[in-house]
Amino acid sequence: MSGPEKSRVPLFATMQRIPGGLMLIPLILGAIFGTFAPGALGIGSFTTALFQDSALPLIALLIFATGTQVSLRTGGPILAHAGTLLVMKSLIPATLVVLLGLGVGLDGLLGISLLALLASMDNSNGGLWLAFSGQYGDERDRGAYVASAINDGPFLTLLFLGASGLGDIPFLALLGAIVPFLLGVLVGNIDAEWRRVVQPVPNIVIPFFAFSLGTGIDLGDIVTGGVTGLALGLVIAPFTGGLVYLGYRYILRRGTMSGLGFAAGTTAGNAIATPAVVAAADPRFEEYVGTATAQVAASALVTAIVAPLIAAYALKRKGALRQGGVTEEPEDPAGAAGAADAPASADDAVHGSAGGLADRPEQEQRA
């Protein structure tokens, strides 16, 4: 029998090698069309529907698919980690951005609009977190990916803008932003087969809605916004990652493993779509969309590179990083993560979803 067919030109693999490449490369290609041939995709029918007008429905499909991956059977220790990650990476930074916005307005600071700040700070790159925690953490860290499922998308940005009065976000727009996610959670927990079926959705829809978003961006915005976006990413990685580090150290009591928190200091690739979604809900943000999208895209690229480097350095500095994995100190039994020693059901122990000791490092089990 012949082996699997090989790609003549590894387009997909090349995009995946670039941090955020699955989103960034189609976005730039779309911007090239939008700048130099804006009418080329407006010929109508399926061509226009897919390549120019598909962003919002495909983003909605992605949000639904993300919801299906959230399990309601998640155990206490994992919930503690996910909750800490959500508060320190999303809620606190978003609150600080809103307070800044109340003082400086929608224009923001130093050429970075409030929309760009909020869209790049209140989320995290769940794929990168899974990769890093899968190599250096345990099942509690991997399970904290639930936080990325919640903050991945425009809902938190819409919520904070609407609640603060900085944006005129109708309640129905907020409701409409979260319904696909909630429906996905419901369907995924009722029927595990649906969860498996929609797992490939991100790899399918992200390049297409990124291209569609790109057609509405002028390359001039990418050039000007990209520079400030690089600076934005260099700030977001240590700042928001540092907040998660503090949560790991003082709330979860993870000791030498607290450096893992820096790996959360990222901007999600999906956040590139957030400015367009916000502008659809409140047209006052329309003027910021082009530059904000470029800034968020640049931040997603920079943080995907910088955040894991900072996390690896923090772990190595504490002697927790070694070739082939990590060595973790026993936890403070008084800390929140001490709940990990609570008895778990047999099913949870097998799946590692309730903090059972089945797949913990041997020294942590002894502790």
Side-chain angles (χ1 to χ4, degrees):
M1 294 179 62
S2 60
E5 185 179 357
K6 293 183 178 180
S7 300
R8 291 182 175 85
V9 181
L11 299 176
F12 188 79
T14 301
M15 286 194 293
Q16 286 193 312
R17 290 192 190 100
I18 301 171
L22 206 59
M23 184 92 179
L24 292 172
I25 293 176
L27 183 82
I28 293 172
L29 290 175
I32 292 173
F33 269 89
T35 302
F36 299 108
L41 300 174
I43 61 176
S45 191
F46 299 123
T47 300
T48 302
L50 178 60
F51 294 108
Q52 188 167 295
D53 299 334
S54 63
L56 289 182
L58 291 180
I59 291 168
L61 177 58
L62 177 63
I63 292 173
F64 172 83
T66 301
T68 64
Q69 307 305 308
V70 176
S71 173
L72 298 181
R73 295 177 58 256
T74 302
I78 291 178
L79 286 178
H81 282 66
T84 300
L85 196 66
L86 184 63
V87 169
M88 306 304 282
K89 177 60 182 77
S90 298
L91 302 187
I92 290 179
T95 300
L96 294 175
V97 171
V98 164
L99 291 175
L100 175 66
L102 292 174
V104 302
L106 300 183
D107 290 338
L109 288 173
L110 304 175
I112 302 175
S113 67
L114 184 72
L115 178 59
L117 281 170
L118 198 53
S120 56
M121 273 193 162
D122 65 5
N123 55 81
S124 56
N125 186 327
L128 188 146
W129 174 261
L130 274 178
F132 195 87
S133 62
Q135 184 174 1
Y136 300 119
D138 59 25
E139 76 278 0
R140 295 165 297 174
D141 306 305
R142 295 189 293 274
Y145 172 78
V146 173
S148 295
I150 295 173
N151 69 21
D152 190 5
F155 177 71
L156 287 181
T157 301
L158 290 168
L159 179 63
F160 273 89
L161 286 174
S164 65
L166 289 167
D168 184 15
I169 311 295
F171 172 74
L172 286 180
L174 283 172
L175 184 63
I178 198 173
V179 163
F181 177 78
L182 295 178
L183 186 60
V185 173
L186 177 64
V187 171
N189 282 274
I190 291 176
D191 185 359
E193 184 65 23
W194 261 106
R195 182 178 298 160
R196 289 187 288 271
V197 166
V198 300
Q199 274 183 341
V201 163
N203 285 343
I204 296 171
V205 303
I206 287 176
F208 287 96
F209 79 66
F211 185 93
S212 177
L213 287 173
T215 60
I217 299 174
D218 190 281
L219 279 178
D221 291 332
I222 291 184
V223 173
T224 57
V227 175
T228 50
L230 293 175
L232 179 63
L234 291 175
V235 172
I236 287 176
F239 175 64
T240 61
L243 290 175
V244 181
Y245 163 79
L246 294 176
Y248 256 63
R249 182 171 182 180
Y250 296 109
I251 298 176
L252 299 174
R253 304 284 187 176
R254 291 298 299 274
T256 58
M257 293 304 299
S258 300
L260 272 170
F262 280 108
T266 54
T267 297
N270 296 342
I272 298 173
T274 297
V277 176
V278 172
D282 185 350
R284 291 186 303 158
F285 289 95
E286 187 66 44
E287 63 178 292
Y288 302 105
V289 170
T291 303
T293 300
Q295 289 169 336
V296 174
S299 178
L301 176 62
V302 171
T303 56
I305 297 171
V306 174
L309 293 177
I310 298 176
Y313 172 77
L315 290 171
K316 184 176 181 180
R317 188 167 176 270
K318 292 295 184 179
L321 187 67
R322 62 177 174 80
Q323 186 67 29
V326 294
T327 302
E328 182 170 351
E329 287 185 348
E331 300 173 71
D332 182 347
D341 293 325
S345 68
D347 186 70
D348 286 330
V350 171
H351 291 85
S353 62
L357 295 175
D359 55 356
R360 298 277 179 86
E362 182 181 345
Q363 30 181 164
E364 193 172 345
Q365 292 186 36
R366 289 200 301 268

